[in-house]
Amino acid sequence: QMQLVESGGGSVQAGGSLRLSCVVSGRPYSSYALGWFRQAPGKEREFVAAISWSSGDTDYADSVKGRFTVFRTNVENTVYLQMSNLLPEDTAVYYCAAQLDPTGRLVATKSSEYGSWGQGTQVTVSS
């Protein structure tokens, strides 16, 4: 059973930066599609960014392109979300997600494509 543990959330002022981390464990020697989603109060969960395991291909929501970067490390099985130039509208609970992907090439942008989720970490951006 996969486990995802997020960290790195917090409170920042608009224009600031945060880096979220998500450690994926439980299925050694496996490859995954990895993604970040967020949910603001009163809104549905929305896609933020995704990355494939082997090819490193990425995709981003239009609202975060040019400001957020998703990347991962092999050694620590960790996926990161580097967030820069944060805006108040980025305030939300951020979730990482993973899905086994033997191809290592899947870039999954829909929540329905993921079977495992982290507990979420709060990001608050003040104006």
PDB file of all heavy atoms in Angstrom, residues 29-65:
ATOM      1  N   TYR A  29      10.789  -0.040  -6.001  1.00  0.00           N
ATOM      2  CA  TYR A  29      11.104  -0.421  -7.375  1.00  0.00           C
ATOM      3  C   TYR A  29       9.905  -0.257  -8.307  1.00  0.00           C
ATOM      4  O   TYR A  29       9.763  -0.975  -9.297  1.00  0.00           O
ATOM      5  CB  TYR A  29      11.605  -1.866  -7.433  1.00  0.00           C
ATOM      6  CG  TYR A  29      12.670  -2.163  -6.425  1.00  0.00           C
ATOM      7  CD1 TYR A  29      12.433  -3.037  -5.367  1.00  0.00           C
ATOM      8  CD2 TYR A  29      13.904  -1.527  -6.482  1.00  0.00           C
ATOM      9  CE1 TYR A  29      13.403  -3.297  -4.415  1.00  0.00           C
ATOM     10  CE2 TYR A  29      14.874  -1.778  -5.544  1.00  0.00           C
ATOM     11  CZ  TYR A  29      14.627  -2.668  -4.515  1.00  0.00           C
ATOM     12  OH  TYR A  29      15.582  -2.913  -3.578  1.00  0.00           O
ATOM     13  N   SER A  30       9.029   0.692  -7.964  1.00  0.00           N
ATOM     14  CA  SER A  30       7.884   0.981  -8.811  1.00  0.00           C
ATOM     15  C   SER A  30       8.015   2.387  -9.375  1.00  0.00           C
ATOM     16  O   SER A  30       8.746   3.215  -8.851  1.00  0.00           O
ATOM     17  CB  SER A  30       6.593   0.871  -8.004  1.00  0.00           C
ATOM     18  OG  SER A  30       6.390  -0.422  -7.505  1.00  0.00           O
ATOM     19  N   SER A  31       7.299   2.629 -10.448  1.00  0.00           N
ATOM     20  CA  SER A  31       7.231   3.970 -11.017  1.00  0.00           C
ATOM     21  C   SER A  31       5.792   4.461 -10.930  1.00  0.00           C
ATOM     22  O   SER A  31       4.850   3.661 -10.979  1.00  0.00           O
ATOM     23  CB  SER A  31       7.731   3.980 -12.460  1.00  0.00           C
ATOM     24  OG  SER A  31       6.957   3.117 -13.269  1.00  0.00           O
ATOM     25  N   TYR A  32       5.646   5.761 -10.809  1.00  0.00           N
ATOM     26  CA  TYR A  32       4.335   6.361 -10.567  1.00  0.00           C
ATOM     27  C   TYR A  32       4.126   7.587 -11.451  1.00  0.00           C
ATOM     28  O   TYR A  32       5.077   8.281 -11.800  1.00  0.00           O
ATOM     29  CB  TYR A  32       4.216   6.842  -9.121  1.00  0.00           C
ATOM     30  CG  TYR A  32       4.694   5.889  -8.067  1.00  0.00           C
ATOM     31  CD1 TYR A  32       6.011   5.936  -7.609  1.00  0.00           C
ATOM     32  CD2 TYR A  32       3.842   4.952  -7.495  1.00  0.00           C
ATOM     33  CE1 TYR A  32       6.450   5.078  -6.635  1.00  0.00           C
ATOM     34  CE2 TYR A  32       4.282   4.097  -6.505  1.00  0.00           C
ATOM     35  CZ  TYR A  32       5.593   4.165  -6.081  1.00  0.00           C
ATOM     36  OH  TYR A  32       6.038   3.308  -5.117  1.00  0.00           O
ATOM     37  N   ALA A  33       2.886   7.842 -11.740  1.00  0.00           N
ATOM     38  CA  ALA A  33       2.490   9.174 -12.175  1.00  0.00           C
ATOM     39  C   ALA A  33       2.277   9.986 -10.899  1.00  0.00           C
ATOM     40  O   ALA A  33       1.694   9.485  -9.937  1.00  0.00           O
ATOM     41  CB  ALA A  33       1.199   9.116 -12.986  1.00  0.00           C
ATOM     42  N   LEU A  34       2.764  11.220 -10.881  1.00  0.00           N
ATOM     43  CA  LEU A  34       2.695  12.057  -9.686  1.00  0.00           C
ATOM     44  C   LEU A  34       2.018  13.379 -10.018  1.00  0.00           C
ATOM     45  O   LEU A  34       2.246  13.935 -11.092  1.00  0.00           O
ATOM     46  CB  LEU A  34       4.105  12.328  -9.162  1.00  0.00           C
ATOM     47  CG  LEU A  34       4.901  11.102  -8.733  1.00  0.00           C
ATOM     48  CD1 LEU A  34       6.368  11.454  -8.551  1.00  0.00           C
ATOM     49  CD2 LEU A  34       4.327  10.536  -7.440  1.00  0.00           C
ATOM     50  N   GLY A  35       1.229  13.858  -9.078  1.00  0.00           N
ATOM     51  CA  GLY A  35       0.540  15.115  -9.322  1.00  0.00           C
ATOM     52  C   GLY A  35       0.308  15.908  -8.059  1.00  0.00           C
ATOM     53  O   GLY A  35       0.404  15.385  -6.942  1.00  0.00           O
ATOM     54  N   TRP A  36       0.017  17.189  -8.244  1.00  0.00           N
ATOM     55  CA  TRP A  36      -0.386  18.089  -7.165  1.00  0.00           C
ATOM     56  C   TRP A  36      -1.746  18.679  -7.514  1.00  0.00           C
ATOM     57  O   TRP A  36      -1.961  19.113  -8.663  1.00  0.00           O
ATOM     58  CB  TRP A  36       0.623  19.213  -6.986  1.00  0.00           C
ATOM     59  CG  TRP A  36       1.918  18.796  -6.376  1.00  0.00           C
ATOM     60  CD1 TRP A  36       3.057  18.446  -7.018  1.00  0.00           C
ATOM     61  CD2 TRP A  36       2.198  18.675  -4.969  1.00  0.00           C
ATOM     62  NE1 TRP A  36       4.031  18.117  -6.104  1.00  0.00           N
ATOM     63  CE2 TRP A  36       3.533  18.250  -4.844  1.00  0.00           C
ATOM     64  CE3 TRP A  36       1.453  18.895  -3.809  1.00  0.00           C
ATOM     65  CZ2 TRP A  36       4.134  18.036  -3.612  1.00  0.00           C
ATOM     66  CZ3 TRP A  36       2.047  18.688  -2.584  1.00  0.00           C
ATOM     67  CH2 TRP A  36       3.375  18.258  -2.481  1.00  0.00           C
ATOM     68  N   PHE A  37      -2.607  18.698  -6.529  1.00  0.00           N
ATOM     69  CA  PHE A  37      -3.927  19.299  -6.656  1.00  0.00           C
ATOM     70  C   PHE A  37      -4.136  20.235  -5.474  1.00  0.00           C
ATOM     71  O   PHE A  37      -3.385  20.193  -4.490  1.00  0.00           O
ATOM     72  CB  PHE A  37      -5.013  18.210  -6.656  1.00  0.00           C
ATOM     73  CG  PHE A  37      -5.002  17.340  -7.881  1.00  0.00           C
ATOM     74  CD1 PHE A  37      -4.035  16.358  -8.049  1.00  0.00           C
ATOM     75  CD2 PHE A  37      -5.957  17.500  -8.878  1.00  0.00           C
ATOM     76  CE1 PHE A  37      -4.011  15.554  -9.182  1.00  0.00           C
ATOM     77  CE2 PHE A  37      -5.941  16.706 -10.013  1.00  0.00           C
ATOM     78  CZ  PHE A  37      -4.974  15.738 -10.165  1.00  0.00           C
ATOM     79  N   ARG A  38      -5.137  21.072  -5.571  1.00  0.00           N
ATOM     80  CA  ARG A  38      -5.450  21.958  -4.451  1.00  0.00           C
ATOM     81  C   ARG A  38      -6.948  22.150  -4.334  1.00  0.00           C
ATOM     82  O   ARG A  38      -7.686  22.004  -5.319  1.00  0.00           O
ATOM     83  CB  ARG A  38      -4.742  23.303  -4.610  1.00  0.00           C
ATOM     84  CG  ARG A  38      -5.225  24.146  -5.777  1.00  0.00           C
ATOM     85  CD  ARG A  38      -4.349  25.386  -5.920  1.00  0.00           C
ATOM     86  NE  ARG A  38      -4.792  26.241  -7.012  1.00  0.00           N
ATOM     87  CZ  ARG A  38      -4.135  27.325  -7.426  1.00  0.00           C
ATOM     88  NH1 ARG A  38      -2.992  27.677  -6.834  1.00  0.00           N
ATOM     89  NH2 ARG A  38      -4.612  28.045  -8.418  1.00  0.00           N
ATOM     90  N   GLN A  39      -7.370  22.484  -3.119  1.00  0.00           N
ATOM     91  CA  GLN A  39      -8.788  22.733  -2.876  1.00  0.00           C
ATOM     92  C   GLN A  39      -8.921  23.924  -1.951  1.00  0.00           C
ATOM     93  O   GLN A  39      -8.448  23.895  -0.810  1.00  0.00           O
ATOM     94  CB  GLN A  39      -9.461  21.508  -2.272  1.00  0.00           C
ATOM     95  CG  GLN A  39     -10.969  21.638  -2.157  1.00  0.00           C
ATOM     96  CD  GLN A  39     -11.648  20.320  -1.870  1.00  0.00           C
ATOM     97  OE1 GLN A  39     -11.031  19.360  -1.425  1.00  0.00           O
ATOM     98  NE2 GLN A  39     -12.938  20.254  -2.118  1.00  0.00           N
ATOM     99  N   ALA A  40      -9.557  24.965  -2.472  1.00  0.00           N
ATOM    100  CA  ALA A  40      -9.828  26.162  -1.688  1.00  0.00           C
ATOM    101  C   ALA A  40     -11.196  26.018  -1.016  1.00  0.00           C
ATOM    102  O   ALA A  40     -12.042  25.244  -1.489  1.00  0.00           O
ATOM    103  CB  ALA A  40      -9.798  27.387  -2.584  1.00  0.00           C
ATOM    104  N   PRO A  41     -11.439  26.754   0.070  1.00  0.00           N
ATOM    105  CA  PRO A  41     -12.734  26.659   0.759  1.00  0.00           C
ATOM    106  C   PRO A  41     -13.894  26.937  -0.180  1.00  0.00           C
ATOM    107  O   PRO A  41     -13.891  27.926  -0.922  1.00  0.00           O
ATOM    108  CB  PRO A  41     -12.620  27.745   1.836  1.00  0.00           C
ATOM    109  CG  PRO A  41     -11.166  27.877   2.090  1.00  0.00           C
ATOM    110  CD  PRO A  41     -10.506  27.651   0.758  1.00  0.00           C
ATOM    111  N   GLY A  42     -14.853  26.042  -0.168  1.00  0.00           N
ATOM    112  CA  GLY A  42     -16.044  26.224  -0.988  1.00  0.00           C
ATOM    113  C   GLY A  42     -15.873  25.906  -2.453  1.00  0.00           C
ATOM    114  O   GLY A  42     -16.802  26.113  -3.245  1.00  0.00           O
ATOM    115  N   LYS A  43     -14.699  25.406  -2.821  1.00  0.00           N
ATOM    116  CA  LYS A  43     -14.440  25.095  -4.229  1.00  0.00           C
ATOM    117  C   LYS A  43     -14.074  23.629  -4.389  1.00  0.00           C
ATOM    118  O   LYS A  43     -13.705  22.953  -3.445  1.00  0.00           O
ATOM    119  CB  LYS A  43     -13.316  25.980  -4.768  1.00  0.00           C
ATOM    120  CG  LYS A  43     -13.653  27.453  -4.812  1.00  0.00           C
ATOM    121  CD  LYS A  43     -12.565  28.243  -5.509  1.00  0.00           C
ATOM    122  CE  LYS A  43     -12.927  29.711  -5.608  1.00  0.00           C
ATOM    123  NZ  LYS A  43     -11.872  30.492  -6.310  1.00  0.00           N
ATOM    124  N   GLU A  44     -14.168  23.155  -5.612  1.00  0.00           N
ATOM    125  CA  GLU A  44     -13.798  21.781  -5.911  1.00  0.00           C
ATOM    126  C   GLU A  44     -12.270  21.656  -6.000  1.00  0.00           C
ATOM    127  O   GLU A  44     -11.567  22.633  -6.270  1.00  0.00           O
ATOM    128  CB  GLU A  44     -14.441  21.329  -7.225  1.00  0.00           C
ATOM    129  CG  GLU A  44     -15.957  21.233  -7.160  1.00  0.00           C
ATOM    130  CD  GLU A  44     -16.541  20.652  -8.430  1.00  0.00           C
ATOM    131  OE1 GLU A  44     -15.795  20.463  -9.407  1.00  0.00           O
ATOM    132  OE2 GLU A  44     -17.756  20.382  -8.445  1.00  0.00           O
ATOM    133  N   ARG A  45     -11.813  20.429  -5.789  1.00  0.00           N
ATOM    134  CA  ARG A  45     -10.381  20.173  -5.942  1.00  0.00           C
ATOM    135  C   ARG A  45      -9.987  20.394  -7.398  1.00  0.00           C
ATOM    136  O   ARG A  45     -10.685  19.953  -8.317  1.00  0.00           O
ATOM    137  CB  ARG A  45     -10.063  18.736  -5.508  1.00  0.00           C
ATOM    138  CG  ARG A  45      -8.596  18.422  -5.448  1.00  0.00           C
ATOM    139  CD  ARG A  45      -8.346  17.055  -4.828  1.00  0.00           C
ATOM    140  NE  ARG A  45      -8.851  16.987  -3.454  1.00  0.00           N
ATOM    141  CZ  ARG A  45      -8.655  15.935  -2.658  1.00  0.00           C
ATOM    142  NH1 ARG A  45      -7.978  14.887  -3.108  1.00  0.00           N
ATOM    143  NH2 ARG A  45      -9.150  15.945  -1.440  1.00  0.00           N
ATOM    144  N   GLU A  46      -8.844  21.055  -7.622  1.00  0.00           N
ATOM    145  CA  GLU A  46      -8.418  21.353  -8.979  1.00  0.00           C
ATOM    146  C   GLU A  46      -6.968  20.929  -9.203  1.00  0.00           C
ATOM    147  O   GLU A  46      -6.144  20.911  -8.276  1.00  0.00           O
ATOM    148  CB  GLU A  46      -8.562  22.848  -9.282  1.00  0.00           C
ATOM    149  CG  GLU A  46      -7.680  23.754  -8.464  1.00  0.00           C
ATOM    150  CD  GLU A  46      -7.793  25.216  -8.881  1.00  0.00           C
ATOM    151  OE1 GLU A  46      -8.582  25.527  -9.788  1.00  0.00           O
ATOM    152  OE2 GLU A  46      -7.059  26.037  -8.313  1.00  0.00           O
ATOM    153  N   PHE A  47      -6.686  20.622 -10.431  1.00  0.00           N
ATOM    154  CA  PHE A  47      -5.348  20.219 -10.847  1.00  0.00           C
ATOM    155  C   PHE A  47      -4.389  21.405 -10.766  1.00  0.00           C
ATOM    156  O   PHE A  47      -4.745  22.531 -11.131  1.00  0.00           O
ATOM    157  CB  PHE A  47      -5.400  19.676 -12.274  1.00  0.00           C
ATOM    158  CG  PHE A  47      -4.058  19.513 -12.920  1.00  0.00           C
ATOM    159  CD1 PHE A  47      -3.206  18.500 -12.523  1.00  0.00           C
ATOM    160  CD2 PHE A  47      -3.661  20.375 -13.928  1.00  0.00           C
ATOM    161  CE1 PHE A  47      -1.974  18.348 -13.120  1.00  0.00           C
ATOM    162  CE2 PHE A  47      -2.433  20.236 -14.541  1.00  0.00           C
ATOM    163  CZ  PHE A  47      -1.582  19.229 -14.135  1.00  0.00           C
ATOM    164  N   VAL A  48      -3.155  21.124 -10.318  1.00  0.00           N
ATOM    165  CA  VAL A  48      -2.126  22.151 -10.263  1.00  0.00           C
ATOM    166  C   VAL A  48      -0.952  21.788 -11.189  1.00  0.00           C
ATOM    167  O   VAL A  48      -0.576  22.558 -12.062  1.00  0.00           O
ATOM    168  CB  VAL A  48      -1.605  22.340  -8.827  1.00  0.00           C
ATOM    169  CG1 VAL A  48      -0.452  23.341  -8.804  1.00  0.00           C
ATOM    170  CG2 VAL A  48      -2.731  22.803  -7.913  1.00  0.00           C
ATOM    171  N   ALA A  49      -0.379  20.598 -10.971  1.00  0.00           N
ATOM    172  CA  ALA A  49       0.807  20.204 -11.741  1.00  0.00           C
ATOM    173  C   ALA A  49       0.952  18.697 -11.708  1.00  0.00           C
ATOM    174  O   ALA A  49       0.467  18.038 -10.784  1.00  0.00           O
ATOM    175  CB  ALA A  49       2.065  20.861 -11.179  1.00  0.00           C
ATOM    176  N   ALA A  50       1.635  18.159 -12.719  1.00  0.00           N
ATOM    177  CA  ALA A  50       1.871  16.716 -12.785  1.00  0.00           C
ATOM    178  C   ALA A  50       3.216  16.448 -13.443  1.00  0.00           C
ATOM    179  O   ALA A  50       3.701  17.263 -14.244  1.00  0.00           O
ATOM    180  CB  ALA A  50       0.757  16.018 -13.561  1.00  0.00           C
ATOM    181  N   ILE A  51       3.785  15.292 -13.111  1.00  0.00           N
ATOM    182  CA  ILE A  51       5.074  14.913 -13.680  1.00  0.00           C
ATOM    183  C   ILE A  51       5.111  13.402 -13.861  1.00  0.00           C
ATOM    184  O   ILE A  51       4.571  12.651 -13.053  1.00  0.00           O
ATOM    185  CB  ILE A  51       6.234  15.383 -12.768  1.00  0.00           C
ATOM    186  CG1 ILE A  51       7.593  15.122 -13.429  1.00  0.00           C
ATOM    187  CG2 ILE A  51       6.150  14.753 -11.385  1.00  0.00           C
ATOM    188  CD1 ILE A  51       8.752  15.815 -12.714  1.00  0.00           C
ATOM    189  N   SER A  52       5.737  12.975 -14.933  1.00  0.00           N
ATOM    190  CA  SER A  52       5.892  11.546 -15.159  1.00  0.00           C
ATOM    191  C   SER A  52       7.159  11.053 -14.455  1.00  0.00           C
ATOM    192  O   SER A  52       8.077  11.826 -14.193  1.00  0.00           O
ATOM    193  CB  SER A  52       5.979  11.247 -16.657  1.00  0.00           C
ATOM    194  OG  SER A  52       7.126  11.873 -17.216  1.00  0.00           O
ATOM    195  N   TRP A  53       7.181   9.749 -14.172  1.00  0.00           N
ATOM    196  CA  TRP A  53       8.262   9.213 -13.348  1.00  0.00           C
ATOM    197  C   TRP A  53       9.594   9.149 -14.077  1.00  0.00           C
ATOM    198  O   TRP A  53      10.618   9.606 -13.569  1.00  0.00           O
ATOM    199  CB  TRP A  53       7.871   7.811 -12.882  1.00  0.00           C
ATOM    200  CG  TRP A  53       8.815   7.207 -11.906  1.00  0.00           C
ATOM    201  CD1 TRP A  53       9.794   6.284 -12.151  1.00  0.00           C
ATOM    202  CD2 TRP A  53       8.845   7.471 -10.501  1.00  0.00           C
ATOM    203  NE1 TRP A  53      10.450   5.966 -10.989  1.00  0.00           N
ATOM    204  CE2 TRP A  53       9.881   6.683  -9.970  1.00  0.00           C
ATOM    205  CE3 TRP A  53       8.122   8.295  -9.646  1.00  0.00           C
ATOM    206  CZ2 TRP A  53      10.190   6.688  -8.614  1.00  0.00           C
ATOM    207  CZ3 TRP A  53       8.433   8.295  -8.303  1.00  0.00           C
ATOM    208  CH2 TRP A  53       9.459   7.507  -7.798  1.00  0.00           C
ATOM    209  N   SER A  54       9.584   8.602 -15.275  1.00  0.00           N
ATOM    210  CA  SER A  54      10.849   8.342 -15.977  1.00  0.00           C
ATOM    211  C   SER A  54      11.246   9.457 -16.930  1.00  0.00           C
ATOM    212  O   SER A  54      12.398   9.880 -16.944  1.00  0.00           O
ATOM    213  CB  SER A  54      10.747   7.020 -16.763  1.00  0.00           C
ATOM    214  OG  SER A  54      10.520   5.944 -15.889  1.00  0.00           O
ATOM    215  N   SER A  55      10.287   9.920 -17.715  1.00  0.00           N
ATOM    216  CA  SER A  55      10.625  10.897 -18.754  1.00  0.00           C
ATOM    217  C   SER A  55      10.714  12.318 -18.203  1.00  0.00           C
ATOM    218  O   SER A  55      11.317  13.181 -18.833  1.00  0.00           O
ATOM    219  CB  SER A  55       9.602  10.843 -19.893  1.00  0.00           C
ATOM    220  OG  SER A  55       8.305  11.114 -19.404  1.00  0.00           O
ATOM    221  N   GLY A  56      10.123  12.537 -17.025  1.00  0.00           N
ATOM    222  CA  GLY A  56      10.176  13.880 -16.448  1.00  0.00           C
ATOM    223  C   GLY A  56       9.298  14.894 -17.149  1.00  0.00           C
ATOM    224  O   GLY A  56       9.440  16.101 -16.920  1.00  0.00           O
ATOM    225  N   ASP A  57       8.397  14.420 -17.992  1.00  0.00           N
ATOM    226  CA  ASP A  57       7.461  15.347 -18.636  1.00  0.00           C
ATOM    227  C   ASP A  57       6.539  15.960 -17.590  1.00  0.00           C
ATOM    228  O   ASP A  57       6.167  15.307 -16.618  1.00  0.00           O
ATOM    229  CB  ASP A  57       6.643  14.616 -19.699  1.00  0.00           C
ATOM    230  CG  ASP A  57       7.492  14.138 -20.861  1.00  0.00           C
ATOM    231  OD1 ASP A  57       8.503  14.798 -21.154  1.00  0.00           O
ATOM    232  OD2 ASP A  57       7.148  13.104 -21.460  1.00  0.00           O
ATOM    233  N   THR A  58       6.171  17.213 -17.821  1.00  0.00           N
ATOM    234  CA  THR A  58       5.329  17.926 -16.861  1.00  0.00           C
ATOM    235  C   THR A  58       4.153  18.594 -17.544  1.00  0.00           C
ATOM    236  O   THR A  58       4.150  18.819 -18.766  1.00  0.00           O
ATOM    237  CB  THR A  58       6.145  18.997 -16.117  1.00  0.00           C
ATOM    238  OG1 THR A  58       6.690  19.925 -17.066  1.00  0.00           O
ATOM    239  CG2 THR A  58       7.276  18.387 -15.318  1.00  0.00           C
ATOM    240  N   ASP A  59       3.162  18.945 -16.743  1.00  0.00           N
ATOM    241  CA  ASP A  59       2.027  19.721 -17.197  1.00  0.00           C
ATOM    242  C   ASP A  59       1.565  20.582 -16.033  1.00  0.00           C
ATOM    243  O   ASP A  59       1.722  20.189 -14.861  1.00  0.00           O
ATOM    244  CB  ASP A  59       0.905  18.809 -17.691  1.00  0.00           C
ATOM    245  CG  ASP A  59      -0.102  19.538 -18.548  1.00  0.00           C
ATOM    246  OD1 ASP A  59       0.086  20.752 -18.805  1.00  0.00           O
ATOM    247  OD2 ASP A  59      -1.096  18.912 -18.963  1.00  0.00           O
ATOM    248  N   TYR A  60       1.012  21.749 -16.340  1.00  0.00           N
ATOM    249  CA  TYR A  60       0.597  22.696 -15.317  1.00  0.00           C
ATOM    250  C   TYR A  60      -0.764  23.278 -15.651  1.00  0.00           C
ATOM    251  O   TYR A  60      -1.123  23.437 -16.820  1.00  0.00           O
ATOM    252  CB  TYR A  60       1.597  23.852 -15.213  1.00  0.00           C
ATOM    253  CG  TYR A  60       2.987  23.447 -14.793  1.00  0.00           C
ATOM    254  CD1 TYR A  60       3.944  23.111 -15.742  1.00  0.00           C
ATOM    255  CD2 TYR A  60       3.342  23.414 -13.446  1.00  0.00           C
ATOM    256  CE1 TYR A  60       5.229  22.731 -15.359  1.00  0.00           C
ATOM    257  CE2 TYR A  60       4.617  23.043 -13.057  1.00  0.00           C
ATOM    258  CZ  TYR A  60       5.551  22.703 -14.018  1.00  0.00           C
ATOM    259  OH  TYR A  60       6.818  22.333 -13.633  1.00  0.00           O
ATOM    260  N   ALA A  61      -1.490  23.643 -14.611  1.00  0.00           N
ATOM    261  CA  ALA A  61      -2.691  24.438 -14.805  1.00  0.00           C
ATOM    262  C   ALA A  61      -2.285  25.814 -15.319  1.00  0.00           C
ATOM    263  O   ALA A  61      -1.218  26.334 -14.959  1.00  0.00           O
ATOM    264  CB  ALA A  61      -3.447  24.576 -13.486  1.00  0.00           C
ATOM    265  N   ASP A  62      -3.115  26.397 -16.154  1.00  0.00           N
ATOM    266  CA  ASP A  62      -2.795  27.711 -16.717  1.00  0.00           C
ATOM    267  C   ASP A  62      -2.560  28.752 -15.617  1.00  0.00           C
ATOM    268  O   ASP A  62      -1.731  29.650 -15.777  1.00  0.00           O
ATOM    269  CB  ASP A  62      -3.923  28.174 -17.635  1.00  0.00           C
ATOM    270  CG  ASP A  62      -3.968  27.396 -18.939  1.00  0.00           C
ATOM    271  OD1 ASP A  62      -2.965  26.740 -19.284  1.00  0.00           O
ATOM    272  OD2 ASP A  62      -5.022  27.439 -19.613  1.00  0.00           O
ATOM    273  N   SER A  63      -3.269  28.621 -14.518  1.00  0.00           N
ATOM    274  CA  SER A  63      -3.187  29.622 -13.457  1.00  0.00           C
ATOM    275  C   SER A  63      -1.833  29.632 -12.740  1.00  0.00           C
ATOM    276  O   SER A  63      -1.521  30.602 -12.049  1.00  0.00           O
ATOM    277  CB  SER A  63      -4.299  29.386 -12.436  1.00  0.00           C
ATOM    278  OG  SER A  63      -4.194  28.091 -11.871  1.00  0.00           O
ATOM    279  N   VAL A  64      -1.050  28.570 -12.899  1.00  0.00           N
ATOM    280  CA  VAL A  64       0.228  28.511 -12.178  1.00  0.00           C
ATOM    281  C   VAL A  64       1.439  28.464 -13.112  1.00  0.00           C
ATOM    282  O   VAL A  64       2.583  28.483 -12.647  1.00  0.00           O
ATOM    283  CB  VAL A  64       0.279  27.306 -11.213  1.00  0.00           C
ATOM    284  CG1 VAL A  64      -0.923  27.324 -10.274  1.00  0.00           C
ATOM    285  CG2 VAL A  64       0.361  25.985 -11.969  1.00  0.00           C
ATOM    286  N   LYS A  65       1.199  28.388 -14.404  1.00  0.00           N
ATOM    287  CA  LYS A  65       2.319  28.321 -15.349  1.00  0.00           C
ATOM    288  C   LYS A  65       3.225  29.529 -15.202  1.00  0.00           C
ATOM    289  O   LYS A  65       2.755  30.663 -15.096  1.00  0.00           O
ATOM    290  CB  LYS A  65       1.783  28.240 -16.782  1.00  0.00           C
ATOM    291  CG  LYS A  65       1.294  26.873 -17.183  1.00  0.00           C
ATOM    292  CD  LYS A  65       0.808  26.854 -18.629  1.00  0.00           C
ATOM    293  CE  LYS A  65       0.309  25.477 -19.005  1.00  0.00           C
ATOM    294  NZ  LYS A  65      -0.245  25.439 -20.379  1.00  0.00           N
TER     295      LYS A  65
END
